[in-house]
Amino acid sequence: MAGTTVVDDGQVPDAFTAALAEHGIALHPGAIRDVRGASKRQAILDLLPPGPGRERRAERALASFREHLARLYRGAVREIPGAASVFGWLRGRGIRVALNTGFDRDTARMLLEALGWSAHTVDAVVCGDDVARGRPAPDMILRCMQLTGVANAKAVANVGDTVLDLRAGHSAGVRWNIGVLSGAHERSRMAAEPHTHLLASVADLPALFAAESC
């Protein structure tokens, strides 16, 4: 969601930095960029150093992350320009739309409510805690397929703003594995990953699919 369909003005990395600082962990920006797109629970666990009670520390840090993110997003949640219009364009053509996110369910719900997105906006929402493995494993994409009744990955377009999104799409065997440059990772990093297209924004999807159907 953040960076692909929801504008991220730095709220996610700032919330990571603040949450881990509360637990005595100072991070350089590159460490956070490397875990963008991962399950937030797993990302925090990976960023904490080994030691006794590591999982308990990770749970406390995750709770802090949620609090900081909610504060930073308060009154500032907005969609990537054109995202909801693209959802409507796709669904109007019989294409099912599912969001998958490394956020937990409570954080995802907060964003959806702030945007006014509902079952009338998208067909399914899959969160990091809903599957056994987060990105780069394909589990969230496969769960989206299950919830929307899509059996063949060759009928799926995966769209994301991180290298882990593209790796997950590749692992799932999707037909369209599309990177967008509106979020976490820049063109050079995205171009080095398996992909079918790189677009400036999710808003460019209708033009892409219209051109492919010609």
Side-chain angles (χ1 to χ4, degrees):
M1 292 176 70
T4 301
T5 57
V6 179
V7 173
D8 179 11
D9 288 322
Q11 290 97 333
V12 175
D14 287 351
F16 263 126
T17 301
L20 289 168
E22 288 181 3
H23 296 270
I25 308 297
L27 297 171
H28 60 85
I32 296 174
R33 282 196 299 270
D34 288 344
V35 297
R36 293 298 301 271
S39 156
K40 302 305 176 275
R41 183 184 304 277
Q42 187 61 50
I44 287 173
L45 189 62
D46 289 345
L47 290 167
L48 289 174
R54 183 166 173 249
E55 292 194 1
R56 288 193 299 275
R57 290 180 70 195
E59 286 299 323
R60 292 194 296 269
L62 179 62
S64 296
F65 169 77
R66 291 178 183 137
E67 292 170 4
H68 285 291
L69 191 67
R71 174 180 56 80
L72 291 167
Y73 264 132
R74 192 170 297 126
V77 180
R78 62 193 196 281
E79 69 172 60
I80 294 288
S85 295
V86 170
F87 299 158
W89 184 89
L90 292 167
R91 296 180 85 201
R93 285 155 178 78
I95 299 169
R96 294 155 198 155
V97 177
L99 300 175
N100 71 78
T101 176
F103 291 136
D104 61 274
R105 180 64 57 177
D106 288 343
T107 300
R109 184 179 298 113
M110 177 268 292
L111 294 174
L112 293 168
E113 289 176 354
L115 291 163
W117 291 356
S118 67
H120 299 293
T121 310
V122 298
D123 297 288
V125 179
V126 174
C127 300
D129 290 346
D130 294 339
V131 295
R133 301 175 300 167
R135 304 182 191 113
D139 296 29
M140 283 200 288
I141 295 172
L142 299 178
R143 179 62 175 157
C144 286
M145 292 171 59
Q146 182 182 38
L147 291 174
T148 54
V150 176
N152 185 359
K154 295 306 178 185
V156 173
N158 173 59
V159 184
D161 68 303
T162 72
V163 299
L164 293 185
D165 287 304
L166 294 178
R167 292 173 189 172
H170 181 68
S171 294
V174 300
R175 178 175 176 182
W176 297 276
N177 198 26
I178 302 168
V180 290
L181 306 178
S182 53
H185 293 148
E186 67 279 6
R187 178 180 289 275
S188 59
R189 287 193 71 175
M190 299 291 273
E193 300 295 331
H195 67 277
T196 58
H197 304 82
L198 294 180
L199 303 177
S201 161
V202 68
D204 296 328
L205 286 176
L208 171 65
F209 291 133
E212 289 220 349
S213 66
C214 293

